Amino acid sequence: MRTRPAGLLRLVRASIALSPVADAVAGAALAAAAGAAVEASAVAAVMLASLALFLFGMAQNDLADREKDARLGRGRPIPSGEVTPAAARTVVLASAAAALGLAA
């Protein structure tokens, strides 16, 4: 079994991954509108950390639900064989580390 790039994109729900980035931008815009000083570098870090947390959550969800998905969601990336559990765990760990690093 080999992990396919398209499977990784489906694993992390890449089609909706810009949502947390937009949320960070909206928060920064609201803060600026309220008169707060908003640093571009801090906004960029929050955007990337939010994206990393989103990727973490999506991959972790599929790992946690892989037994149920094997019965009910055979088209999901792990049960379909598009992504190995080891590759999914790597995504989980890498995205968690990235989120923590960016948040620091």
Side-chain angles (χ1 to χ4, degrees):
M1 188 165 32
R2 209 174 103 202
T3 295
R4 300 173 57 187
L8 286 173
L9 292 174
R10 285 183 358 99
L11 176 77
V12 297
R13 314 316 192 273
S15 64
I16 58 171
L18 290 181
S19 179
V21 175
D23 292 345
V25 171
L30 287 171
V38 178
E39 293 182 34
S41 61
V43 174
V46 169
M47 289 167 54
L48 293 172
S50 295
L51 176 60
L53 284 172
F54 179 85
L55 301 177
F56 164 81
M58 295 298 105
Q60 181 59 38
N61 180 69
D62 271 21
L63 273 174
D65 288 345
R66 70 179 179 214
E67 290 179 19
K68 180 181 82 171
D69 287 346
R71 293 186 314 273
L72 304 174
R74 299 184 140 222
R76 296 293 313 139
I78 296 173
S80 71
E82 287 184 279
V83 175
T84 64
R89 278 190 292 277
T90 299
V91 170
V92 166
L93 294 173
S95 57
L100 289 171
L102 288 160

